[in-house]
Amino acid sequence: MLAGTSGWRTHLARELLKHPTLRMWTGRYVRSPLARSLFMNTVSDGEAAGTETQEWYRCSPDLLGETVKPLFIQSRLDSGTKAFLKRSIEKSGWMVTQLYHSFVSTVLSPVISRTSINGLLGRGSMFVFSEEQFQRLLRIDPEWRAERLLDLGAGDGGVTEVMGAHFKEVYATEVSGPMKWHLQRRNYKLLGIDEWQQTGFQYDLISCLNLLDRCDDPLHLLQDIRRSLVPSTGRVILAAVLPFQPYVEIGGKWQRPRERLRVEGKTWEEQVTSLSNEVFRSAGLEVEAVTRLPYLCEGDMYNDYYVLDDAVFVLKATEN
């Protein structure tokens, strides 16, 4: 079973707090009403967002491999990202709501997954890229349209919506019941985690956002994705949290996946190069573009938001 096609996206940032080996940027702790107001004005007005947000996009292209260096696209804090941060800061300040969420989470966590708890409460939305960043990565304009999008592990559909406007049909996989309900409300077509590869049709774009490190068989997943693309024109948009530290949740316990991807290097640039030149190529995929983006999660009563380092790739099938 491909564990990676479940709804990890909706709670990954909080879950990874359990693993100190992973680099985690915790959000600004802005509890003073005055300080919160000043920070929100900074986000809204487009002033310098500070060292923290600048670091989210930092890359040293000279440290990338020779074949990867010309494919790197420099991203920046844009209006879509600022809007998500502003909403997250506002919601984290709703103290009565946050206390209620904390209580419900404590009561339900022994019996249902955190993903499903977030779905029931309508919290924990994720942000991977804005519409502008998505279009720039794929080199498309706002009017571009294609037939089919498949979003693997779509969660509540918030990230799916960014991509979905460009497609006539939007398909999604998800295992959490409450998250499936959110996807159905958005009129997305749900497929089983062992069904999407066997529908009899192929996809113009498959998104695999922050699943590779939460999948028991990641190479198998990549190979299935490649086989499911429309020939020649089909593309994959794949995000991976770096440094790469794979874990899967089985029976409520976190453990190493049975299939290990060998991602070499210690820096963001070294691991991007290793993924590009070794992991993806072994699955019959090649990199067309790559950027560094923050993987953001809505905050709670402790932090205004959570953020991890993402590498976001556009991939295509290699020619046989």
Side-chain angles (χ1 to χ4, degrees), residues 199-261:
T199 57
F201 54 78
Q202 294 169 306
Y203 308 92
D204 297 279
L205 181 69
I206 298 178
S207 61
C208 178
L209 304 176
N210 301 302
L211 299 181
L212 210 57
D213 59 349
R214 293 296 172 266
C215 177
D216 215 17
D217 300 293
L219 186 58
H220 184 194
L221 173 62
L222 290 172
Q223 291 167 342
D224 278 346
I225 287 173
R226 185 191 185 281
R227 285 191 290 266
S228 302
L229 289 173
V230 170
S232 301
T233 59
R235 293 294 184 269
V236 182
I237 188 161
L238 183 147
V241 172
L242 300 181
F244 192 77
Q245 293 281 352
Y247 286 91
V248 294
E249 186 182 24
I250 298 177
K253 296 181 179 180
W254 291 88
Q255 62 187 50
R256 293 287 187 180
R258 61 187 177 190
E259 184 178 71
R260 179 173 175 241
L261 293 182

Side-chain angles (χ1 to χ4, degrees), residues 276-302:
S276 301
N277 292 342
E278 298 163 21
V279 174
F280 298 147
R281 284 185 181 178
S282 69
L285 296 164
E286 64 177 281
V287 177
E288 198 168 63
V290 61
T291 192
R292 181 174 182 173
L293 291 172
Y295 176 27
L296 295 161
C297 174
E298 283 183 343
D300 50 28
M301 62 189 297
Y302 305 107

Side-chain angles (χ1 to χ4, degrees), residues 2 34 52 81 115 119 136 142 200 208 212 233 263 267 307 311:
L2 297 177
L34 176 59
E52 181 183 21
T81 311
T115 299
R136 189 166 176 235
C208 178
L212 210 57
T233 59
V263 180
T267 67
V307 58

Side-chain angles (χ1 to χ4, degrees), residues 119-255:
L120 289 169
L121 295 174
R123 71 169 191 179
S125 291
M126 313 302 287
F127 185 94
V128 181
F129 41 66
S130 66
E131 292 180 14
E132 179 184 345
Q133 290 163 344
F134 173 71
Q135 292 165 9
R136 189 166 176 235
L137 274 171
L138 285 180
R139 299 185 180 93
I140 59 176
D141 58 45
E143 289 74 37
W144 181 84
R145 296 292 182 273
E147 287 293 324
R148 296 187 187 96
L149 163 70
L150 170 65
D151 189 9
L152 297 173
D156 64 4
V159 183
T160 318
E161 186 177 16
V162 174
M163 304 178 283
H166 292 280
F167 297 90
K168 295 178 182 178
E169 299 177 3
V170 178
Y171 296 84
T173 69
E174 181 54 60
V175 297
S176 164
M179 292 301 182
K180 287 182 179 179
W181 178 77
H182 284 291
L183 294 168
Q184 289 171 329
R185 284 184 62 202
R186 297 175 184 264
N187 295 317
Y188 298 147
K189 300 176 182 179
L190 287 174
L191 296 174
I193 60 173
D194 296 314
E195 180 186 5
W196 60 271
Q197 316 92 320
Q198 305 171 31
T199 57
F201 54 78
Q202 294 169 306
Y203 308 92
D204 297 279
L205 181 69
I206 298 178
S207 61
C208 178
L209 304 176
N210 301 302
L211 299 181
L212 210 57
D213 59 349
R214 293 296 172 266
C215 177
D216 215 17
D217 300 293
L219 186 58
H220 184 194
L221 173 62
L222 290 172
Q223 291 167 342
D224 278 346
I225 287 173
R226 185 191 185 281
R227 285 191 290 266
S228 302
L229 289 173
V230 170
S232 301
T233 59
R235 293 294 184 269
V236 182
I237 188 161
L238 183 147
V241 172
L242 300 181
F244 192 77
Q245 293 281 352
Y247 286 91
V248 294
E249 186 182 24
I250 298 177
K253 296 181 179 180
W254 291 88
Q255 62 187 50

Side-chain angles (χ1 to χ4, degrees), residues 36 40 85-94 304:
R36 177 182 295 275
M40 289 178 62
L85 288 171
K86 183 178 180 181
R87 289 194 302 272
S88 182
I89 293 167
E90 288 175 343
K91 291 173 72 172
S92 70
W94 301 345
D304 292 317

